[in-house]
Amino acid sequence: MRLIALLILVIPGIMAALGIKLMRDMLFQILQPPFPFLWLQFLIGLFMLIFGIWFISGFVFYRDRKNKKVSIRYQSKTDPSSK
């Protein structure tokens, strides 16, 4: 189970790193092969970065909430143990 959880986190992490690389290459005007325009390369890189960070932070937040390590103000209001 831990290996599956690690793979679930590694894939979005690689995706975020690739997004940073695409945005960096756009700043140095290096066009990567699958993209016809620099601005499209930057937008896809930005999307990949945001999605990777969003997924990893959501996974960590869900795990902490499940283990009751989250502050009271971030717990759901329907949770009976938060009262």
Side-chain angles (χ1 to χ4, degrees), residues 70-83:
V70 177
S71 176
I72 293 172
R73 67 179 175 171
Y74 294 118
Q75 291 178 352
S76 64
K77 294 182 181 179
T78 60
D79 187 17
S81 65
S82 65
K83 293 182 181 178

Side-chain angles (χ1 to χ4, degrees), residues 44-56:
I44 291 176
L46 182 65
F47 173 75
M48 291 172 70
L49 175 68
I50 290 172
F51 178 77
I53 291 173
W54 172 75
F55 189 88
I56 291 171

Side-chain angles (χ1 to χ4, degrees), residues 10-26:
V10 165
I11 293 169
I14 292 172
M15 186 183 217
L18 184 62
I20 290 173
K21 181 195 177 307
L22 288 174
M23 291 189 303
R24 185 200 65 195
D25 287 349
M26 193 280 305

Side-chain angles (χ1 to χ4, degrees), residues 2-68:
R2 289 180 189 247
L3 182 63
I4 293 171
L6 179 65
L7 286 176
I8 289 173
L9 287 178
V10 165
I11 293 169
I14 292 172
M15 186 183 217
L18 184 62
I20 290 173
K21 181 195 177 307
L22 288 174
M23 291 189 303
R24 185 200 65 195
D25 287 349
M26 193 280 305
L27 289 175
F28 292 115
Q29 296 183 353
I30 301 171
L31 187 62
Q32 297 298 327
F35 303 108
F37 306 110
L38 285 173
W39 59 268
L40 182 63
Q41 178 177 320
F42 182 81
L43 287 178
I44 291 176
L46 182 65
F47 173 75
M48 291 172 70
L49 175 68
I50 290 172
F51 178 77
I53 291 173
W54 172 75
F55 189 88
I56 291 171
S57 62
F59 183 86
V60 171
F61 181 72
Y62 172 77
R63 185 189 57 139
D64 285 349
R65 187 170 25 170
K66 189 171 100 175
N67 293 333
K68 297 186 180 5

